[in-house]
Amino acid sequence: MFDRDEERFATLGLAAKLPSAVIDSIWDIIDQDLKGVVRLPQVLRFALIARNGQVTVAFDAQHDAIMEFDLPVSYQREFPETVAVLDDGQYQTMMLMDELSV
């Protein structure tokens, strides 16, 4: 799951509400901070939090740990509260929660 060499996508709905810097940062968090550290289920959920005007990405590893990552990106009210990332075994897709149908 979540192999960095597999194809990765973001839905148009997500790309319309979130800058590519945040999308790319979430992929980096998966690759550099989560993979091999915590068990990754088929669907990952990331909360986007405003902290001191910047974006903080929070990940809950289902009772293993809650990890937060501060990004050097200004938070905008239009950002979604939560982002889902699905690995269906063929593709990895980042999307808005209401686009998730698993």
Side-chain angles (χ1 to χ4, degrees):
M1 298 240 95
F2 296 101
D3 183 350
R4 73 175 355 151
D5 295 326
E6 297 298 322
E7 293 190 71
R8 290 180 165 172
F9 303 95
T11 63
L12 291 175
L14 180 72
K17 292 188 174 196
L18 208 55
S20 61
V22 176
I23 294 170
D24 292 344
S25 292
I26 293 173
W27 289 124
D28 288 343
I29 289 167
I30 293 169
D31 294 336
Q32 298 171 18
D33 299 302
L34 301 180
K35 182 93 173 161
V37 176
V38 296
R39 186 186 76 74
L40 298 178
Q42 182 181 16
V43 177
L44 307 178
R45 290 175 177 82
F46 296 90
L48 303 180
I49 303 165
R51 186 171 289 149
N52 298 321
Q54 303 293 102
V55 176
T56 295
V57 176
F59 174 75
D60 184 348
Q62 299 296 332
H63 310 296
D64 286 338
I66 295 176
M67 298 175 222
E68 294 185 349
F69 306 90
D70 296 323
L71 304 182
V73 177
S74 295
Y75 184 87
Q76 304 295 317
R77 275 187 244 147
E78 300 81 32
F79 289 176
E81 290 182 16
T82 309
V83 171
V85 184
L86 168 69
D87 185 337
D88 68 4
Q90 185 174 7
Y91 303 108
Q92 298 170 47
T93 308
M94 193 176 305
M95 64 193 74
L96 300 168
M97 288 302 295
D98 62 359
E99 296 175 313
L100 182 63
S101 60
V102 171

